[in-house]
Structure formats: C-alpha cells, structure tokens
Amino acid sequence: MEFGMDRPVAVVTGATSGLGRVAVLELARRGYRVSAVARSRSKSEALVADLAAVTDEPVEVFHADLGLLSEARRVGEEIAARHARLDVLVNNAGLHAFAQRVTPEGLAEMTAVNYLGPFVLTRALTAKLGSCAPARIVNVASEASGRARTIAPAEDLRRTDPYNRRESMPLYGRTKLMTIMWTQELARRLDPHKVTVNCCDPGFNATGLGRDLPGSDVLRRVLNTLGIGDPRRGAGIIVRLATDPALDGMSGRYLSVRDARPLRCPEPGRDPRAQAELWEATEALLAERSAG
C-alpha cells in the first residue's frame, strides 16, 4: 500500500504507550497519516486497533529496538524508502533504567535509547524530511536534564559503569541534556525554511518510562485514578510542536509543557561549543561502530 501525497505523514517513536500513544491518536484525528515505530508487536497491534476508531487512513508500524543503532539505521532507511513524503518526525521513545544494562553493541542502554538511537534515526530521515519542506522534527527531552552537572561527550557516550537507583537520575538527566544539545546543534545545521527541529519538556507524566521500578504499574494506576501525571498534557506540547502554524520557521528551541514557555538549555550543555563537541563525538562513535 503506497502512501500518497494528499495528507501529511508523521512518524512517531515510542508510540504504543504513554505520551507517544496519545500523540499518535491526536495526530491521526488531525488528518495525519501515522507511522509508528515500536518494539512490541502485541502493543503495536493494540495501537492499530485503537487508531481504526479515529481514522480511516492506513496506519503502518515499523518494528525496531531503538536501543540498537543498527536497528535505528535499518528502520530509518525502511521508512525513507516506504514514504513518498514525510512531514513530521517525533523522537519520543525513552527509557529510565534504574541499573546499568549494556546493549549487544556494547553501549549503555539508556544512552542508546534516549540519545544515540534517535540521532541515527533522524540522520536516516533528514533528507526525506528536507525534500518535503517545510517539515518538522520534535525531540522529547525532560526537566531531568537539569540534574546533569557535568558532560564530557567522548567519555559519557561510551560509559557503561554500574550504577544504582539513586545514581540513575543524573545519568538519565544527562541523556536528556544530550537531547537538548543535539537539537540545538542540529538546528544550526539545517535550513529552518526546510526543516525545523525543536525539543520539549513534557512535564511529569504517569507513563511506562520508569517501568523497571518495582511497583511502577500500581503507582501508575493510582496516579491515573487521581488524575495526576495525565499524559494528555505532555502529549499536547508534542503535538503543538509538530503541527501549530504559529511555530512555522521556529527552530532550535526548548519549550516547556507550561504554555510552550521558552526554556534555556541547562548548563553544562548550553555553550554552542559544547553542543558541537557532542555532535562530533557522536559522529566519531557512530563511525567507529559502523552504525552511521
């Protein structure tokens, strides 16, 4: 089934739960043809069934583990080959791991899922986005980025030291700081008349992000019952960045879930020189791993 040129196309990662699922359903309601990138086949089948209730447009799911850079590259190439057009890419998939896990490619899983995988996927899709200008890239960051006190890109990208639950937050925050830094450096490298790239802090959301935490399912159900951490709020800023005409041409921004208020990239990643250093270290790592 070939995707036509009559409707805009949005690709969303981490689309089967939490913010991604809500964002996908809203984009479909707004007339977008949606392609979801998902790891779980059972969850993706449930998503497709839910989408059938809000759109008659065809929905495709591309299966990939974005914690593996080879998979991120493969699925990016598949999406680029499949679509005649691509208007929006939302890098939403995320992971907060409470203990170190190392991928088969020898990388820290949290760093791979939250930063390196999206970097590789976006690079594979940038040309397609540019050919369908104006297009948008939306990266989901976090206020946890402010927990990262230092960053040394060449070392941090390769770091696989063990850590415990208490130590996990600043490490998670560092991966989200990398997301903001990469967003702002990528914005300097792209023509904003063709492709814009922005990121957001979606606030606190009761999603599956901390699924490794004991009792997380029970806590999430309690929060949902109390109306705390409703993912519709966090998904709202994602959809706004993807679709709002008032944001045409805006690029390199980090926006809050609170009324799209502009935020500054936290230190120590604010300096454009640090952002360029991260970019160069990332490119070097990908060349080394032959995943680029």
Side-chain angles (χ1 to χ4, degrees):
M1 179 172 52
E2 185 65 30
F3 278 75
M5 297 293 291
D6 56 329
R7 293 202 179 204
V9 175
V11 172
V12 182
T13 71
T16 58
S17 63
L19 301 179
R21 182 179 181 279
V22 177
V24 161
L25 290 167
E26 181 58 27
L27 288 167
R29 289 188 187 98
R30 295 184 183 211
Y32 281 75
R33 292 177 180 257
V34 176
S35 284
V37 179
R39 184 174 58 176
S40 168
R41 292 184 180 273
S42 60
K43 289 182 179 180
S44 62
E45 290 170 0
L47 174 66
V48 170
D50 289 342
L51 281 164
V54 301
T55 180
D56 293 328
E57 293 296 323
V59 176
E60 283 193 329
V61 178
F62 294 84
H63 292 100
D65 180 353
L66 295 179
L68 296 175
L69 306 189
S70 57
E71 286 283 287
R73 180 181 60 181
R74 173 192 59 78
V75 78
E77 291 172 350
E78 288 181 2
I79 293 168
R82 177 63 170 161
H83 287 289
R85 65 181 291 173
L86 179 56
D87 301 86
V88 173
L89 168 62
V90 177
N91 287 307
N92 164 73
L95 170 70
H96 185 163
F98 294 93
Q100 183 66 275
R101 295 197 297 260
V102 180
T103 72
E105 295 173 337
L107 299 166
E109 184 183 31
M110 192 156 61
T111 301
V113 171
N114 293 351
Y115 171 65
L116 290 168
F119 188 105
V120 171
L121 176 64
T122 301
R123 186 163 68 172
L125 292 174
T126 298
K128 178 66 69 173
L129 287 158
S131 69
C132 303
R136 300 186 183 191
I137 301 168
V138 180
N139 294 328
V140 179
S142 170
E143 62 183 351
S145 57
R147 299 287 190 94
R149 300 303 179 194
T150 64
I151 186 162
E155 293 80 15
D156 292 337
L157 290 172
R158 293 169 168 78
R159 197 178 300 280
T160 57
D161 314 60
Y163 59 81
N164 58 35
R165 188 180 303 170
R166 178 177 297 178
E167 295 164 334
S168 70
M169 181 54 80
L171 297 176
Y172 169 72
R174 183 179 289 152
T175 67
K176 291 302 186 177
L177 176 60
M178 289 179 179
T179 298
I180 302 168
M181 295 170 67
W182 161 54
T183 297
Q184 296 185 336
E185 178 63 19
L186 179 58
R188 284 189 283 270
R189 294 168 180 258
L190 295 177
D191 180 349
H193 296 98
K194 294 182 177 180
V195 184
T196 61
V197 53
N198 296 285
C199 59
C200 63
D201 164 22
F204 172 74
N205 297 273
T207 67
L209 183 66
R211 56 187 174 270
D212 291 346
L213 185 65
S216 61
D217 287 341
V218 173
L219 176 61
R220 185 166 59 253
R221 287 196 294 271
V222 170
L223 293 174
N224 287 339
T225 299
L226 296 174
I228 299 172
D230 188 339
R232 287 176 296 184
R233 184 165 178 258
I237 185 62
I238 296 172
V239 173
R240 184 172 179 182
L241 280 170
T243 65
D244 189 347
L247 305 182
D248 285 349
M250 185 189 78
S251 198
R253 303 291 290 276
Y254 174 36
L255 300 184
S256 171
V257 68
R258 300 174 183 86
D259 300 320
R261 177 169 53 88
L263 299 171
R264 298 183 74 187
C265 177
E267 291 287 8
R270 189 176 300 160
D271 191 325
R273 291 173 295 183
Q275 296 173 359
E277 180 184 353
L278 173 63
W279 182 284
E280 291 163 5
T282 304
E283 292 280 11
L285 174 63
L286 295 180
E288 175 189 311
R289 303 297 174 107
S290 299

